[in-house]
Amino acid sequence: MTPVDVTPAVEILEAAKSVTILCHIQPDADTVGSGLALAQVLRRRGVPVVVSFAEPAELPVSMRSLPGTELLVRADQVPREVDVLVSVDCGSAGRLGSLRDRLDSAATTLVIDHHRSNTRFGRVNVVDEAAESTAGVIAHILEAWGEPIDRDIAHCLYAGLVTDTGSFKWVRPGSHTLAERLLATGIDGAAITRTLMDTHPFAWLPMLSRVLASAQLIPDAAAGAGLVYAVVRREDTEAVRSEEVESIIDLIRTTAEAQVAAVFKESRTDPDHWTVSLRSHDAADGSPGLDVARVATALGGGGHRYAAGYSTIGQAPDLLANLIRELG
Protein backbone atom coordinates (compact mmCIF):
# COMPACT_ATOMS: atom_id res chain seq x y z
CA MET A 1 0.00 0.00 0.00
CA THR A 2 1.33 3.45 -0.92
CA PRO A 3 2.33 5.47 2.18
CA VAL A 4 -0.15 8.20 3.07
CA ASP A 5 1.06 11.72 2.31
CA VAL A 6 1.17 13.57 5.64
CA THR A 7 2.40 16.83 4.11
CA PRO A 8 -1.06 18.49 4.29
CA ALA A 9 -1.15 17.85 8.04
CA VAL A 10 2.33 19.27 8.52
CA GLU A 11 1.46 22.39 6.54
CA ILE A 12 -1.70 23.02 8.57
CA LEU A 13 0.01 22.47 11.91
CA GLU A 14 3.01 24.57 10.90
CA ALA A 15 0.77 27.56 10.18
CA ALA A 16 -1.66 27.09 13.09
CA LYS A 17 -2.29 30.11 15.34
CA SER A 18 -4.41 28.17 17.85
CA VAL A 19 -5.40 24.50 18.02
CA THR A 20 -8.11 22.39 19.60
CA ILE A 21 -7.52 18.63 19.60
CA LEU A 22 -10.58 16.44 20.06
CA CYS A 23 -10.50 12.77 21.06
CA HIS A 24 -13.40 10.37 20.66
CA ILE A 25 -16.03 9.66 23.28
CA GLN A 26 -15.24 6.91 25.79
CA PRO A 27 -11.58 7.56 24.99
CA ASP A 28 -8.92 4.88 24.83
CA ALA A 29 -5.17 5.33 25.10
CA ASP A 30 -4.70 5.69 21.34
CA THR A 31 -6.95 8.73 21.00
CA VAL A 32 -5.77 10.36 24.25
CA GLY A 33 -2.11 9.46 23.74
CA SER A 34 -2.16 10.75 20.17
CA GLY A 35 -3.90 13.97 21.23
CA LEU A 36 -1.53 14.67 24.13
CA ALA A 37 1.56 13.85 22.07
CA LEU A 38 0.57 16.32 19.36
CA ALA A 39 -0.49 18.92 21.92
CA GLN A 40 2.89 18.80 23.64
CA VAL A 41 4.65 19.45 20.35
CA LEU A 42 2.40 22.42 19.64
CA ARG A 43 2.94 23.81 23.15
CA ARG A 44 6.68 23.44 22.64
CA ARG A 45 6.30 25.57 19.53
CA GLY A 46 4.39 28.23 21.46
CA VAL A 47 0.98 27.51 19.90
CA PRO A 48 -2.05 27.81 22.24
CA VAL A 49 -3.59 24.33 22.40
CA VAL A 50 -6.18 22.37 24.39
CA VAL A 51 -7.25 18.73 24.28
CA SER A 52 -10.69 17.40 25.16
CA PHE A 53 -13.36 14.72 24.70
CA ALA A 54 -17.11 14.86 25.16
CA GLU A 55 -17.66 11.99 27.56
CA PRO A 56 -17.18 10.76 30.20
CA ALA A 57 -16.63 13.86 32.30
CA GLU A 58 -13.22 12.71 33.54
CA LEU A 59 -10.20 11.01 32.04
CA PRO A 60 -10.11 7.26 32.80
CA VAL A 61 -7.85 6.54 35.78
CA SER A 62 -5.52 4.29 33.79
CA MET A 63 -4.51 7.22 31.55
CA ARG A 64 -3.94 9.87 34.20
CA SER A 65 -0.20 9.17 34.34
CA LEU A 66 0.22 10.17 30.68
CA PRO A 67 2.42 13.27 30.29
CA GLY A 68 0.60 16.40 29.16
CA THR A 69 -2.72 15.82 30.92
CA GLU A 70 -2.58 19.43 32.13
CA LEU A 71 -3.54 20.35 28.55
CA LEU A 72 -6.88 18.56 28.92
CA VAL A 73 -9.96 20.71 29.46
CA ARG A 74 -13.58 19.82 30.17
CA ALA A 75 -15.92 19.66 27.20
CA ASP A 76 -17.69 22.87 28.24
CA GLN A 77 -14.33 24.69 28.23
CA VAL A 78 -13.48 23.88 24.62
CA PRO A 79 -13.30 27.17 22.67
CA ARG A 80 -16.21 27.82 20.34
CA GLU A 81 -13.85 29.20 17.70
CA VAL A 82 -10.32 28.14 16.87
CA ASP A 83 -7.89 28.41 13.98
CA VAL A 84 -7.34 24.65 13.61
CA LEU A 85 -9.45 21.85 15.02
CA VAL A 86 -7.76 18.43 14.93
CA SER A 87 -9.68 15.18 15.39
CA VAL A 88 -7.55 12.20 16.42
CA ASP A 89 -8.61 8.54 16.11
CA CYS A 90 -12.23 9.41 15.24
CA GLY A 91 -13.77 7.51 12.36
CA SER A 92 -16.71 9.89 12.02
CA ALA A 93 -17.98 13.21 13.35
CA GLY A 94 -20.42 11.31 15.53
CA ARG A 95 -17.50 9.93 17.54
CA LEU A 96 -16.91 13.47 18.82
CA GLY A 97 -20.21 13.35 20.66
CA SER A 98 -21.50 16.72 21.82
CA LEU A 99 -18.29 18.41 20.64
CA ARG A 100 -19.01 17.76 16.96
CA ASP A 101 -20.48 21.27 16.78
CA ARG A 102 -16.95 22.68 17.14
CA LEU A 103 -16.22 21.49 13.61
CA ASP A 104 -18.46 24.15 12.10
CA SER A 105 -16.81 27.09 13.88
CA ALA A 106 -13.18 26.13 13.23
CA ALA A 107 -11.32 27.95 10.46
CA THR A 108 -9.70 24.66 9.41
CA THR A 109 -10.45 21.06 10.36
CA LEU A 110 -7.88 18.27 10.21
CA VAL A 111 -8.75 14.59 10.69
CA ILE A 112 -5.90 12.25 11.70
CA ASP A 113 -6.89 8.60 11.90
CA HIS A 114 -6.21 5.00 10.86
CA HIS A 115 -9.72 3.52 10.64
CA ARG A 116 -10.69 2.13 7.24
CA SER A 117 -14.28 3.19 7.89
CA ASN A 118 -13.31 6.86 8.37
CA THR A 119 -15.88 9.12 6.68
CA ARG A 120 -13.33 11.88 5.84
CA PHE A 121 -15.36 14.50 7.69
CA GLY A 122 -12.55 17.07 7.91
CA ARG A 123 -11.53 19.74 5.46
CA VAL A 124 -8.19 17.89 5.33
CA ASN A 125 -8.07 14.17 6.06
CA VAL A 126 -4.88 12.24 6.81
CA VAL A 127 -6.10 8.67 7.23
CA ASP A 128 -3.53 5.87 7.06
CA GLU A 129 -5.47 2.61 6.89
CA ALA A 130 -2.22 0.65 6.93
CA ALA A 131 -1.22 2.05 10.34
CA GLU A 132 -1.84 -0.07 13.43
CA SER A 133 -2.69 3.00 15.51
CA THR A 134 -3.32 6.71 15.26
CA ALA A 135 -0.23 7.09 17.45
CA GLY A 136 1.74 5.63 14.56
CA VAL A 137 0.26 8.23 12.20
CA ILE A 138 1.19 11.01 14.63
CA ALA A 139 4.77 9.66 14.78
CA HIS A 140 4.91 9.78 10.97
CA ILE A 141 3.66 13.37 10.97
CA LEU A 142 6.23 14.45 13.57
CA GLU A 143 9.00 12.83 11.56
CA ALA A 144 7.94 14.62 8.38
CA TRP A 145 7.61 17.87 10.36
CA GLY A 146 11.11 17.54 11.77
CA GLU A 147 9.81 17.63 15.35
CA PRO A 148 11.80 15.42 17.76
CA ILE A 149 10.06 12.84 19.89
CA ASP A 150 11.21 13.31 23.47
CA ARG A 151 10.51 11.02 26.41
CA ASP A 152 7.12 12.53 27.33
CA ILE A 153 5.86 12.43 23.75
CA ALA A 154 7.18 8.89 23.35
CA HIS A 155 5.28 7.85 26.50
CA CYS A 156 2.01 9.06 24.98
CA LEU A 157 2.65 7.48 21.61
CA TYR A 158 3.69 4.17 23.17
CA ALA A 159 0.44 4.14 25.15
CA GLY A 160 -1.52 4.33 21.91
CA LEU A 161 0.67 1.78 20.16
CA VAL A 162 0.64 -0.88 22.88
CA THR A 163 -3.11 -0.71 23.47
CA ASP A 164 -4.22 -0.65 19.83
CA THR A 165 -1.99 -3.63 19.06
CA GLY A 166 -3.21 -5.55 22.12
CA SER A 167 0.30 -5.65 23.61
CA PHE A 168 1.64 -6.33 20.11
CA LYS A 169 -0.63 -9.26 19.33
CA TRP A 170 -2.02 -7.42 16.28
CA VAL A 171 0.87 -5.69 14.60
CA ARG A 172 1.60 -4.32 11.15
CA PRO A 173 4.93 -3.96 9.35
CA GLY A 174 6.82 -1.28 11.22
CA SER A 175 5.03 -1.65 14.56
CA HIS A 176 8.03 -3.09 16.36
CA THR A 177 10.35 -0.59 14.70
CA LEU A 178 8.25 2.25 16.08
CA ALA A 179 8.16 0.62 19.51
CA GLU A 180 11.94 0.31 19.55
CA ARG A 181 12.29 3.96 18.57
CA LEU A 182 9.97 5.07 21.37
CA LEU A 183 11.59 2.81 23.97
CA ALA A 184 15.00 4.23 23.05
CA THR A 185 13.93 7.55 24.64
CA GLY A 186 14.09 5.87 28.04
CA ILE A 187 10.41 5.23 28.72
CA ASP A 188 9.45 2.17 30.77
CA GLY A 189 7.33 0.17 28.35
CA ALA A 190 6.50 -2.54 30.87
CA ALA A 191 5.23 -0.02 33.43
CA ILE A 192 3.16 1.83 30.84
CA THR A 193 1.56 -1.42 29.67
CA ARG A 194 0.87 -2.60 33.20
CA THR A 195 -0.84 0.67 34.13
CA LEU A 196 -2.98 0.75 31.01
CA MET A 197 -3.87 -2.90 30.53
CA ASP A 198 -3.01 -5.07 33.52
CA THR A 199 -4.20 -3.15 36.58
CA HIS A 200 -7.80 -3.37 37.80
CA PRO A 201 -9.58 -2.79 41.12
CA PHE A 202 -10.97 -5.79 42.97
CA ALA A 203 -14.51 -4.74 41.94
CA TRP A 204 -13.56 -5.80 38.40
CA LEU A 205 -13.63 -9.47 39.44
CA PRO A 206 -17.23 -9.69 40.72
CA MET A 207 -18.33 -7.54 37.78
CA LEU A 208 -16.71 -10.03 35.42
CA SER A 209 -18.40 -12.95 37.12
CA ARG A 210 -21.82 -11.38 36.55
CA VAL A 211 -21.20 -10.31 32.97
CA LEU A 212 -19.49 -13.53 31.87
CA ALA A 213 -22.43 -15.46 33.30
CA SER A 214 -24.60 -13.66 30.72
CA ALA A 215 -22.48 -14.91 27.80
CA GLN A 216 -24.32 -16.82 25.08
CA LEU A 217 -23.08 -18.72 22.04
CA ILE A 218 -25.02 -18.75 18.76
CA PRO A 219 -23.12 -21.20 16.54
CA ASP A 220 -25.15 -20.65 13.37
CA ALA A 221 -24.95 -16.84 13.40
CA ALA A 222 -22.83 -14.96 10.86
CA ALA A 223 -23.48 -17.61 8.18
CA GLY A 224 -22.16 -20.32 10.43
CA ALA A 225 -19.07 -18.46 11.64
CA GLY A 226 -20.66 -18.23 15.08
CA LEU A 227 -21.38 -15.38 17.48
CA VAL A 228 -20.59 -15.13 21.18
CA TYR A 229 -21.96 -12.19 23.12
CA ALA A 230 -22.36 -10.80 26.62
CA VAL A 231 -24.51 -8.03 28.09
CA VAL A 232 -23.28 -5.40 30.55
CA ARG A 233 -26.15 -3.85 32.48
CA ARG A 234 -26.02 -0.46 34.17
CA GLU A 235 -26.00 -2.03 37.62
CA ASP A 236 -22.95 -4.12 36.67
CA THR A 237 -20.87 -0.98 36.17
CA GLU A 238 -21.66 0.93 39.35
CA ALA A 239 -18.45 0.00 41.16
CA VAL A 240 -16.00 -0.02 38.23
CA ARG A 241 -14.36 2.39 35.84
CA SER A 242 -15.03 2.66 32.14
CA GLU A 243 -11.77 0.87 31.32
CA GLU A 244 -12.94 -2.20 33.26
CA VAL A 245 -16.06 -2.35 31.11
CA GLU A 246 -14.07 -1.91 27.91
CA SER A 247 -11.79 -4.82 28.86
CA ILE A 248 -14.60 -7.39 28.66
CA ILE A 249 -14.55 -7.79 24.89
CA ASP A 250 -10.97 -9.07 25.00
CA LEU A 251 -12.14 -11.99 27.16
CA ILE A 252 -15.28 -12.73 25.14
CA ARG A 253 -13.33 -12.77 21.87
CA THR A 254 -11.21 -15.74 22.99
CA THR A 255 -14.15 -18.17 22.50
CA ALA A 256 -12.95 -20.87 20.09
CA GLU A 257 -16.41 -21.78 18.79
CA ALA A 258 -17.23 -18.30 17.44
CA GLN A 259 -15.40 -16.10 14.96
CA VAL A 260 -17.42 -13.03 15.98
CA ALA A 261 -17.73 -11.57 19.48
CA ALA A 262 -19.95 -8.76 20.77
CA VAL A 263 -20.44 -6.98 24.07
CA PHE A 264 -23.56 -4.87 24.59
CA LYS A 265 -22.88 -2.13 27.18
CA GLU A 266 -25.77 -0.23 28.67
CA SER A 267 -25.23 3.49 29.32
CA ARG A 268 -24.68 4.47 32.94
CA THR A 269 -26.88 7.56 32.51
CA ASP A 270 -29.26 7.22 29.53
CA PRO A 271 -31.95 4.50 29.60
CA ASP A 272 -32.00 2.27 26.52
CA HIS A 273 -28.73 3.77 25.21
CA TRP A 274 -26.01 1.24 24.43
CA THR A 275 -22.52 0.99 22.97
CA VAL A 276 -21.57 -2.26 21.26
CA SER A 277 -18.05 -3.62 20.81
CA LEU A 278 -17.44 -6.08 17.97
CA ARG A 279 -14.45 -8.33 17.30
CA SER A 280 -13.71 -11.07 14.78
CA HIS A 281 -10.84 -13.34 13.82
CA ASP A 282 -9.79 -15.50 10.91
CA ALA A 283 -11.17 -19.01 10.48
CA ALA A 284 -9.18 -22.06 11.58
CA ASP A 285 -8.22 -22.69 7.95
CA GLY A 286 -6.75 -19.20 7.67
CA SER A 287 -9.53 -17.69 5.57
CA PRO A 288 -10.30 -14.06 6.41
CA GLY A 289 -12.70 -13.41 9.26
CA LEU A 290 -15.91 -11.43 8.96
CA ASP A 291 -15.50 -7.69 8.37
CA VAL A 292 -17.05 -6.24 11.53
CA ALA A 293 -16.29 -2.70 10.34
CA ARG A 294 -18.87 -3.24 7.60
CA VAL A 295 -21.37 -4.46 10.15
CA ALA A 296 -20.68 -1.59 12.56
CA THR A 297 -20.92 0.98 9.78
CA ALA A 298 -24.30 -0.37 8.73
CA LEU A 299 -25.46 0.03 12.32
CA GLY A 300 -24.16 3.60 12.66
CA GLY A 301 -20.58 3.06 13.80
CA GLY A 302 -17.29 2.00 12.28
CA GLY A 303 -13.81 0.64 12.95
CA HIS A 304 -11.47 -1.98 11.53
CA ARG A 305 -12.04 -5.31 9.85
CA TYR A 306 -11.43 -7.20 13.09
CA ALA A 307 -12.36 -4.56 15.69
CA ALA A 308 -15.27 -2.15 15.47
CA GLY A 309 -18.20 -0.72 17.38
CA TYR A 310 -21.33 1.38 17.30
CA SER A 311 -23.87 3.17 19.50
CA THR A 312 -27.55 2.36 19.46
CA ILE A 313 -30.87 2.74 21.28
CA GLY A 314 -33.38 0.08 22.27
CA GLN A 315 -33.92 -3.06 24.32
CA ALA A 316 -31.21 -5.72 24.50
CA PRO A 317 -33.19 -8.48 22.69
CA ASP A 318 -33.96 -6.14 19.79
CA LEU A 319 -30.33 -4.99 19.59
CA LEU A 320 -29.19 -8.61 19.42
CA ALA A 321 -31.69 -9.36 16.67
CA ASN A 322 -30.49 -6.34 14.68
CA LEU A 323 -26.88 -7.46 14.99
CA ILE A 324 -27.63 -11.06 13.97
CA ARG A 325 -29.57 -9.81 10.94
CA GLU A 326 -26.67 -7.59 9.87
CA LEU A 327 -24.13 -10.38 10.37
CA GLY A 328 -26.01 -12.33 7.69
Side-chain angles (χ1 to χ4, degrees), residues 22-25 53-55 90 92-103:
L22 296 183
C23 306
H24 61 67
I25 57 174
F53 49 86
E55 57 182 84
C90 297
S92 66
R95 293 287 282 157
L96 297 174
S98 62
L99 288 173
R100 66 180 300 170
D101 63 355
R102 300 304 198 273
L103 292 166

Side-chain angles (χ1 to χ4, degrees), residues 19-236:
V19 178
T20 291
I21 301 174
L22 296 183
C23 306
H24 61 67
I25 57 174
Q26 304 300 327
D28 59 15
D30 192 26
T31 190
V32 174
S34 296
L36 292 179
L38 181 57
Q40 289 178 83
V41 172
L42 290 164
R43 179 175 62 180
R44 188 169 67 193
R45 295 176 59 87
V47 179
V49 58
V50 297
V51 183
S52 191
F53 49 86
E55 57 182 84
E58 296 184 348
L59 183 68
V61 174
S62 64
M63 299 178 222
R64 293 180 187 174
S65 60
L66 292 178
T69 54
E70 66 277 6
L71 294 169
L72 284 167
V73 301
R74 297 195 314 268
D76 60 4
Q77 295 178 320
V78 175
R80 289 285 172 181
E81 296 182 357
V82 70
D83 184 27
V84 177
L85 185 144
V86 183
S87 162
V88 287
D89 200 45
C90 297
S92 66
R95 293 287 282 157
L96 297 174
S98 62
L99 288 173
R100 66 180 300 170
D101 63 355
R102 300 304 198 273
L103 292 166
D104 297 331
S105 55
T108 301
T109 53
L110 169 63
V111 169
I112 302 174
D113 191 24
H114 71 126
H115 293 97
R116 179 165 53 86
S117 61
N118 191 285
T119 61
R120 273 69 173 177
F121 59 95
R123 187 167 303 170
V124 174
N125 302 281
V126 176
V127 181
D128 188 352
E129 299 175 11
E132 75 292 291
S133 62
T134 297
V137 184
I138 295 292
H140 188 191
I141 290 171
L142 297 184
E143 181 179 17
W145 198 3
E147 286 290 339
I149 295 176
D150 61 24
R151 184 169 179 165
D152 284 351
I153 294 169
H155 184 145
C156 292
L157 294 178
Y158 191 85
L161 177 65
V162 73
T163 52
D164 255 33
T165 59
S167 292
F168 300 99
K169 290 195 292 287
W170 316 299
V171 295
R172 305 280 183 89
S175 298
H176 289 100
T177 302
L178 175 58
E180 183 177 1
R181 178 184 173 193
L182 298 175
L183 290 167
T185 65
I187 60 173
D188 188 338
I192 293 170
T193 303
R194 184 169 58 252
T195 299
L196 290 170
M197 306 181 73
D198 294 327
T199 302
H200 299 285
F202 176 78
W204 182 60
L205 297 177
M207 183 273 289
L208 275 182
S209 70
R210 293 190 300 272
V211 172
L212 293 180
S214 76
Q216 298 290 323
L217 177 67
I218 307 178
D220 59 349
L227 167 69
V228 60
Y229 73 91
V231 179
V232 185
R233 298 288 182 177
R234 181 183 301 110
E235 56 267 26
D236 296 325

Side-chain angles (χ1 to χ4, degrees), residues 289-309:
L290 187 141
D291 184 354
V292 291
R294 175 193 61 77
V295 175
T297 299
L299 293 168
H304 307 285
R305 181 182 186 91
Y306 297 112

